[in-house]
Amino acid sequence: MSETRSEISQLGEFGLIDRISKKINLQNPSSIKGIGDDAAVLDGGEDYTLISTDLLAEGIHFDLSYTPIQHLGYKAVSVNVSDIAAMNGKAEQIVVSLALSNRFSVEAVDALYDGIRAACEHYKVDLVGGDTTSSRSGLVISITVIGKVRKERIVYRSGAKPNDIICVTGDLGAAYLGLQILEREKEVFKSNPGMQPSLDKYEYLVGRQLKSIARTDIIFDLEEAGVRPTSMIDISDGLASELFHIGKNSNVGVRIYEDKIPVDELTYNTAALEFKIDPVTCALNGGEDYELLFTIPQTDLEKLKNHPDIHTIGYVHDKANEHTLITKQGNAVALKAQGWNHFG
Ligand code: ADP
Ligand code: MG
């Protein structure tokens, strides 16, 4: 045992994963890609098998005072399926592990699984196992997903090339604002329990936080259009952080345009007028949108240009790790990735 003690918060989540990953050597030829992408890639014979796992801990990732437990079940599946989509693959099975404190009733577990089953039906995924144990500190849900992709369709974080076009799906920042609204209403309720939360106006934002949907539809659309992205990642930690991952893994830089980042009108107005925060900051650093970020060669742009939910936001260049945001005023500023740091 060494005498020194270093704090995890100094390394951060990504620093810690890097440190773990450096000491791991893959021994089996069937382990095609280990740590460092949205899912591990295994040689499954004709296809690649994809595996990813995500753990949600009460008090860190969710707050049951405003999260209906069915929604939590649905979301726990969505976040896993999203990582398989980010490899251009299709999820097929999940295993679900639970740690439960005695605060939880059988009915609560039923409701959690109502959500898990609804998601399985939506994504056409089979629940094939798991593990159950007790916990002294609330609820922990860990889901592992297994998926598949044809070998020639696999997409890594590492394939972006200079001059590729950067695309994002849907709109960004809404899930983060949904969380801010839920937190605000919780505070109001705590100080005045007679007050009913008024969430109707914010239904879209709150829905984006509580009812995450993985963009499996986009994987289908890309295939139909005959496009294989050169790189892809799902947006779980905010656009900026995901761009940094693509930049680092592909050894390239990115240039994106503020006025091209898709932000929904309600997101924009709620951020700017009510929370007095920059809507673009919500999109860049908010997270939990579970949209897809990918790059395509310029020659494929024509095939996607009429897709209503795919937006081009910039391009890739060869100056590794030089990431620039062109503001609405036309100024070039260095992109910063804050992301989420649970050890912060
Ligand atoms: P995502 O946000 O897509 O779920 P993460 O940032 O959680 O991805 O993980 C990035 C990579 O690091 C993945 O390949 C994941 O499998 C790996 N990873 C994360 N935590 C650990 C860990 N404790 N041990 C080994 N690998 C890990
Ligand atoms: Mg991911």
Side-chain angles (χ1 to χ4, degrees):
M1 270 277 284
S2 119
E3 292 289 308
T4 50
R5 182 200 146 91
S6 323
E7 298 305 323
I8 293 174
S9 58
Q10 280 182 308
L11 274 183
E13 181 181 339
F14 299 136
L16 185 66
I17 295 172
D18 273 349
R19 186 183 168 98
I20 294 168
S21 148
K22 280 204 182 85
K23 294 182 190 161
I24 304 288
N25 295 309
L26 301 179
Q27 305 174 57
N28 293 297
S30 56
S31 304
I32 304 293
K33 172 80 195 174
I35 298 172
D37 216 301
D38 290 289
V41 180
L42 316 182
D43 196 339
E46 203 173 320
D47 298 319
Y48 282 139
T49 301
L50 304 167
I51 301 206
S52 184
T53 192
D54 259 294
L55 183 142
L56 302 180
E58 185 174 3
I60 305 286
H61 299 99
F62 58 88
D63 182 334
L64 286 169
S65 67
Y66 53 69
T67 307
I69 199 159
Q70 312 85 290
H71 290 182
L72 180 65
Y74 198 108
K75 180 168 177 173
V77 178
S78 289
V79 303
N80 275 279
V81 169
S82 179
D83 277 324
I84 299 297
M87 307 302 291
N88 209 24
K90 179 176 180 318
E92 294 193 338
Q93 288 88 17
I94 54 166
V95 290
V96 178
S97 298
L98 291 183
L100 290 157
S101 72
N102 58 11
R103 235 178 69 229
F104 291 87
S105 63
V106 173
E107 289 71 23
V109 176
D110 281 349
L112 178 71
Y113 273 83
D114 286 344
I116 292 177
R117 272 189 281 103
C120 284
E121 216 152 286
H122 176 85
Y123 298 117
K124 310 244 180 312
V125 166
D126 300 319
L127 198 175
V128 295
D131 193 21
T132 311
T133 184
S134 54
S135 144
R136 289 197 195 164
S137 56
L139 173 64
V140 179
I141 310 175
S142 167
I143 297 190
T144 298
V145 62
I146 299 133
K148 232 189 226 175
V149 60
R150 290 208 317 278
K151 286 184 177 171
E152 68 276 16
R153 297 289 303 167
I154 183 99
V155 178
Y156 295 104
R157 293 176 178 179
S158 57
K161 297 278 177 299
N163 301 319
D164 280 355
I165 308 282
I166 303 170
C167 304
V168 294
T169 63
D171 62 82
L172 302 176
Y176 173 76
L177 273 172
L179 181 63
Q180 302 315 304
I181 286 157
L182 289 164
E183 291 282 349
R184 183 178 71 185
E185 294 306 315
K186 184 184 171 183
E187 289 310 311
V188 171
F189 185 76
K190 269 205 287 198
S191 54
N192 187 351
M195 286 268 289
Q196 281 301 306
S198 51
L199 296 175
D200 289 0
K201 186 178 146 201
Y202 307 107
E203 196 185 332
Y204 179 66
L205 307 179
V206 169
R208 291 282 283 173
Q209 169 60 220
L210 296 178
K211 297 188 252 179
S212 314
I213 305 278
R215 297 308 304 261
T216 50
D217 57 324
I218 296 292
I219 302 312
F220 180 85
D221 294 349
L222 288 170
E223 167 121 55
E224 273 242 306
V227 174
R228 185 177 76 100
T230 50
S231 69
M232 184 151 59
I233 187 168
D234 67 328
I235 305 181
S236 51
D237 293 339
L239 177 63
S241 170
E242 315 305 357
L243 284 165
F244 271 71
H245 284 310
I246 291 212
K248 186 175 174 204
N249 285 279
S250 300
N251 205 29
V252 293
V254 303
R255 199 172 178 88
I256 61 163
Y257 295 83
E258 182 179 4
D259 62 357
K260 293 197 182 281
I261 297 173
V263 176
D264 165 83
E265 196 182 331
L266 182 63
T267 306
Y268 194 95
N269 290 336
T270 309
L273 306 177
E274 285 190 44
F275 286 89
K276 313 274 186 239
I277 49 179
D278 182 358
V280 173
T281 304
C282 296
L284 285 171
N285 298 313
E288 295 206 278
D289 292 307
Y290 296 102
E291 294 293 341
L292 291 169
L293 167 68
F294 57 91
T295 54
I296 55 168
Q298 289 197 15
T299 45
D300 277 345
L301 188 55
E302 188 66 22
K303 299 178 194 163
L304 296 180
K305 85 170 195 290
N306 292 326
H307 195 294
D309 224 16
I310 295 177
H311 315 282
T312 60
I313 59 164
Y315 64 90
V316 177
H317 60 73
D318 63 3
K319 289 189 200 69
N321 301 314
E322 194 184 295
H323 306 311
T324 312
L325 174 75
I326 308 298
T327 66
K328 284 175 185 150
Q329 294 76 33
N331 301 320
V333 298
L335 201 58
K336 286 196 229 36
Q338 278 173 310
W340 289 124
N341 192 338
H342 299 304
F343 302 107

